[in-house]
Amino acid sequence: MDTLLVGLAGVVALSTPVVLATLGEILTERAGVINLALNGTILLSAMTGFAVAVNSGSLLWGFLAGGTVGMTVALLVTFTSLTLGQSQVAVGFVLTLLTRDLSYFLGNPYMGKQGPRLPHWPLPVLQDIPILGPLLFRHDLMVYLSYVVILGMWFWFFYTRPGLILRGLGERPAAAYVRGARVRELRYLYAALGGFLAGLAGPAYSLSVKAGWKGTISGLDGIGWIALALTIFGGWHPLRGALGAYLFGLLQWLSLVLQPQLKDIPSQVLQVAPFPTMILLLLFVNIGNTEWMQRTLAGLPPEVRRLVERALRALQVSPPAALGKVFREE
Amino acid sequence: MPGERREAMVTLLFRLASVVFALLLTALVLVLVQAPPLEAFRLILKGAFGSPKKVADIFVIWIPLLLTSAGLLLTFHAGLWNIGIEGQIVLGAVFATGVLRYLQDTTIAPTLALILAFVAAALGGMIWALLSGVLKVYGGVNEIFSGLGLDFVAVTLVLYLIFGPWKRPGVGSMSGTEPFPRELWLPTLEKMRLSPWALALALVAWIMVIVLLQRSYFGLRLRAVGRNPRAAYLMMGLSPARLTLLAFAICGVFAGLAGAIQVTAVYHRLIPAISSGYGWLGLLVGMLVNYSPIWIGPVAWFFAMLNLGSIQLPIVLKVDSTLAGVLQGTLVYSFLLGEGIRMKWQQRRREIGESE
């Protein structure tokens, strides 16, 4: 029982960077901007955060540097697409490759160096709650910050007026504009904030759960794409997005734990398991939207149809209507 | 018309400015790691043109890159981001290796064995590409995510094969599978890795894509679907599903062939990094040529030159060889930046012209 609890607590810690990146992307996309540069951003911010922390000896500067890298990349995406009218996907994709190569190139001198690490900081009182205490409250500061972000973003989105306007930016920017929202400025703002959050995911690895910088074998390449997929899987909802990130962490942990038990399955297969899972999850949440599925459903007997439809609708997600579209203030 | 010529001049100037800007940014990155920028650029040129063998090696990189860029131009025209291209190269390499491993112990003529390997590779690449296509058309899964997931699966498959069923006698290692017997190598120029057969194949693919996109009804339809699938379906009766799948399939074939060339002409075995990142690089080439199929040749060649030239940088300058990637990425980004500024500038000029 205790070992299980310790393992699950590890899942919470390991999932934290993914939670931060996913929520950063959710915030950005809710405002109508796709930041496809997430994968490279996490690598570059992990490297930069580590390098800055090593040189300055300050963890705080390390995290701020990581966040700043994320914000800068997000602002580049936003500027080149919203202001200069270039394809958001193209810009994001180029920047994700560029930042990845930059992190390996600039990070070369820091490979394998010793660096500071965020200390454990069990929360007084809360850590003594049975089960929940060891599971949630015996971690480091970043983990607690991620809880605040999850709940804060959920509250912000659905229970505040600025949150309502934010959702409007991604759904019906024209309507938001008519009501007096400064669409372009707000999109810049939320993209920058989302980018900062995603940028924290880097140091959350390199200064905490996977401390250090190991270049191409850091094992961080691919995380950003997972976070982008989780944004879709989570239906752009902070709670569902975070849940997806924890499920992903659980899956990674299970593949490690089960490896000795499943000797017949080569270890490589289990390591890559998250990626086909990602495709399957996206399939489940999207298939209800396809014309093919709707046509098939129409041909089914009513009782079966209702059942299938209900199942699909429970999973189904649809993106903010104006996601990735440029809005011109006329 | 003088006005049109002026616009063309302006476009050219902006592109040149983008290149200069990219070089400056890369120089800045070099200064950050305390390496001399001019010396680094000189070393890249020396590394690429230092000897006839090196020049031939540029073409060794150019061939698979041209194949992937050609295929990607079709998917780009169909409005698709075929990020699964890396996996499609890998599957081509795996299929080719599988066929050659099976046939090397038989008495089959080597030429026939090679042809079969290439056919299998084309098939392998196509299957992997169609997986993304089917997931997109019938599952609503964005091709970026399916492609990316399938890339990881493909790389893992190679690792599994190299350390599992296809491992070298004794113990498997990252150096790859046991090399094929010499008669199963694709014939190359003497003492070089450049194969005229592979070169011919890549050139045919390039010309095919130019003709398809610029001279055929297929190209027109592809573009219509890429621009606006719904309108193409409603107004022209085109089936976006069929064209999407077709674009994926052809691109997969080209990528698979690139994988076969990597296996039969360059490495003579299956290695973990068999795709050499030519899929990602092809995507950058595709973005830089702005939908123009003729330009993929020179641009891919330039990128191949950078890749080759930077190989020796770690030894001489003690900097990482990802510098080529940094320079290529910076080039594409500053190109997008330049395009954006140019369009804004020209739009403003037109507005001023109208108000006068």
Side-chain angles (χ1 to χ4, degrees):
Chain A
M1 188 62 206
D2 272 355
T3 34
L4 180 68
L5 211 51
V6 169
L8 289 178
V11 169
V12 171
L14 194 65
S15 309
T16 297
V18 187
V19 169
L20 290 171
T22 307
L23 289 182
E25 186 68 23
I26 288 176
L27 183 62
T28 310
E29 293 198 9
R30 276 283 184 171
V33 179
I34 307 171
N35 180 1
L36 207 65
L38 215 54
N39 192 50
T41 300
I42 293 176
L43 283 163
L44 189 60
S45 64
M47 190 283 293
T48 314
F50 181 69
V52 167
V54 166
N55 286 329
S56 68
S58 153
L59 285 162
L60 180 66
W61 281 116
F63 277 99
L64 284 178
T68 310
V69 165
M71 189 161 78
T72 311
V73 177
L75 284 174
L76 282 177
V77 172
T78 318
F79 172 71
T80 321
S81 60
L82 288 195
T83 304
L84 294 182
Q86 297 298 297
S87 151
Q88 224 156 59
V89 176
V91 179
F93 186 73
V94 174
L95 286 178
T96 206
L97 292 187
L98 180 57
T99 44
R100 181 179 67 167
D101 282 339
L102 263 181
S103 71
Y104 295 148
F105 184 77
L106 295 174
N108 204 20
Y110 294 93
M111 289 258 285
K113 267 199 178 177
Q114 288 288 326
R117 192 186 169 145
L118 206 59
H120 262 258
W121 193 45
L123 289 181
V125 185
L126 286 175
Q127 66 156 322
D128 298 324
I129 305 172
I131 300 179
L132 284 185
L135 188 65
L136 299 176
F137 301 116
R138 292 183 193 169
H139 292 289
D140 60 34
L141 209 54
M142 281 318 276
V143 178
Y144 306 138
L145 180 74
S146 74
Y147 303 155
V148 175
V149 171
I150 296 169
L151 294 175
M153 199 179 284
W154 168 69
F155 184 77
W156 181 259
F157 277 9
F158 300 108
Y159 297 99
T160 69
R161 209 183 128 66
L164 184 71
I165 295 171
L166 160 66
R167 286 184 289 142
L169 296 176
E171 294 290 350
R172 296 178 62 200
Y177 182 65
V178 170
R179 298 221 177 94
R182 298 164 67 177
V183 174
R184 182 183 294 197
E185 286 83 349
L186 281 173
R187 280 186 167 174
Y188 265 100
L189 174 71
Y190 284 118
L193 280 175
F196 190 87
L197 262 183
L200 287 181
Y205 277 118
S206 64
L207 297 175
S208 174
V209 282
K210 283 187 181 174
W213 176 250
K214 296 181 198 72
T216 44
I217 55 159
S218 301
L220 307 184
D221 199 1
I223 296 289
W225 295 109
I226 294 279
L228 276 159
L230 287 172
T231 303
I232 302 174
F233 171 73
W236 292 267
H237 191 295
L239 298 184
R240 198 167 148 176
L243 181 72
Y246 288 123
L247 281 178
F248 171 71
L250 186 70
L251 199 70
Q252 275 186 316
W253 177 69
L254 278 179
S255 68
L256 274 176
V257 174
L258 292 181
Q259 207 163 302
Q261 266 86 48
L262 303 167
K263 284 216 174 58
D264 298 337
I265 304 174
S267 60
Q268 291 98 339
V269 173
L270 289 174
Q271 278 157 24
V272 85
F275 292 97
T277 315
M278 166 183 96
I279 299 178
L280 277 180
L281 289 179
L282 291 181
L283 186 63
F284 288 144
V285 299
N286 280 309
I287 198 161
N289 293 332
T290 60
E291 272 178 47
W292 163 81
M293 194 43 140
Q294 275 156 10
R295 242 179 302 137
T296 313
L297 281 178
L300 289 174
E303 313 86 70
V304 185
R305 189 176 67 201
R306 220 167 300 141
L307 213 68
V308 178
E309 270 180 345
R310 198 174 303 157
L312 282 176
R313 206 168 308 135
L315 290 164
Q316 201 167 341
V317 298
S318 49
L323 183 59
K325 294 191 180 118
V326 176
F327 171 68
R328 290 183 207 294
E329 303 169 353
E330 303 288 79
Chain B
M1 274 198 314
E4 239 170 57
R5 194 192 283 168
R6 241 190 77 119
E7 296 249 312
M9 273 301 287
V10 170
T11 306
L12 187 70
L13 273 177
F14 266 92
R15 301 231 163 128
L16 284 176
S18 313
V19 174
V20 174
F21 184 63
L23 285 173
L24 285 176
L25 275 183
T26 312
L28 186 74
V29 169
L30 279 161
V31 170
L32 272 178
V33 294
Q34 288 157 352
L38 284 178
E39 179 66 5
F41 292 145
R42 195 185 67 82
L43 282 170
I44 288 182
L45 289 178
K46 190 173 158 231
F49 298 105
S51 70
K53 187 178 178 305
K54 285 188 169 159
V55 177
D57 273 348
I58 298 180
F59 285 89
V60 172
I61 300 177
W62 187 56
I63 289 166
L65 188 55
L66 187 58
L67 276 166
T68 55
S69 309
L72 284 168
L73 217 57
L74 293 178
T75 45
F76 267 127
H77 273 265
L80 301 166
W81 283 85
N82 184 13
I83 290 187
I85 181 121
E86 282 281 318
Q88 292 149 27
I89 305 173
V90 170
L91 259 278
V94 166
F95 271 51
T97 309
V99 166
L100 290 180
R101 283 181 69 88
Y102 179 72
L103 293 177
Q104 67 185 356
D105 303 322
T106 63
T107 53
I108 193 170
T111 319
L112 190 60
L114 278 169
I115 292 174
L116 286 175
F118 272 75
V119 171
L123 194 72
M126 189 172 83
I127 291 172
W128 218 241
L130 281 176
L131 271 178
S132 277
V134 168
L135 278 166
K136 161 125 188 156
V137 173
Y138 298 106
V141 179
N142 187 307
E143 73 276 10
I144 293 180
F145 296 107
S146 63
L148 210 91
L150 290 167
D151 284 347
F152 279 98
V153 175
V155 172
T156 310
L157 175 69
V158 168
L159 286 176
Y160 165 68
L161 287 170
I162 288 176
F163 287 94
W166 292 355
K167 76 167 180 243
R168 285 189 163 180
V171 67
S173 81
M174 288 302 272
S175 63
T177 57
E178 189 73 5
F180 301 117
R182 258 182 186 279
E183 59 271 18
L184 288 181
W185 295 12
L186 201 65
T188 54
L189 296 180
E190 211 170 320
K191 288 188 182 148
M192 292 185 184
R193 297 189 300 166
L194 178 60
S195 157
W197 295 100
L199 184 61
L201 197 64
L203 288 174
V204 167
W206 183 21
I207 294 168
M208 210 176 112
V209 167
I210 294 176
V211 173
L212 269 182
L213 286 177
Q214 298 196 331
R215 300 258 180 282
S216 80
Y217 187 50
F218 169 74
L220 196 71
R221 287 190 298 177
L222 207 56
R223 214 164 312 181
V225 168
R227 291 247 169 91
N228 190 340
R230 185 119 196 101
Y233 175 66
L234 291 175
M235 297 167 65
M236 300 164 76
L238 300 174
S239 156
R242 268 231 309 276
L243 280 166
T244 299
L245 291 177
L246 198 58
F248 266 120
I250 301 177
C251 186
V253 166
F254 286 179
L257 292 174
I261 289 170
Q262 290 286 90
V263 164
T264 58
V266 183
Y267 295 105
H268 312 300
R269 62 184 194 274
L270 188 64
I271 60 167
I274 194 71
S275 78
S276 305
Y278 296 152
W280 298 108
L281 205 51
L283 284 159
L284 288 184
V285 172
M287 274 186 255
L288 205 50
V289 300
N290 206 8
Y291 295 97
S292 153
I294 292 177
W295 278 96
I296 58 173
V299 171
W301 194 85
F302 180 64
F303 276 19
M305 187 272 283
L306 291 178
N307 262 26
L308 181 75
S310 63
I311 287 176
Q312 56 164 1
L313 282 180
I315 308 156
V316 190
L317 271 189
K318 303 261 180 292
V319 299
D320 202 79
S321 66
T322 38
L323 182 67
V326 172
L327 185 51
Q328 287 151 349
T330 316
L331 264 173
V332 178
Y333 180 66
S334 79
F335 171 76
L336 291 175
L337 211 58
E339 280 295 281
I341 295 170
R342 177 180 66 84
M343 284 195 263
K344 262 215 118 68
W345 184 69
Q346 282 176 338
Q347 186 192 347
R348 184 160 302 167
R349 283 191 65 93
R350 265 196 298 276
E351 280 166 10
I352 293 168
E354 275 162 21
S355 63
E356 266 168 7

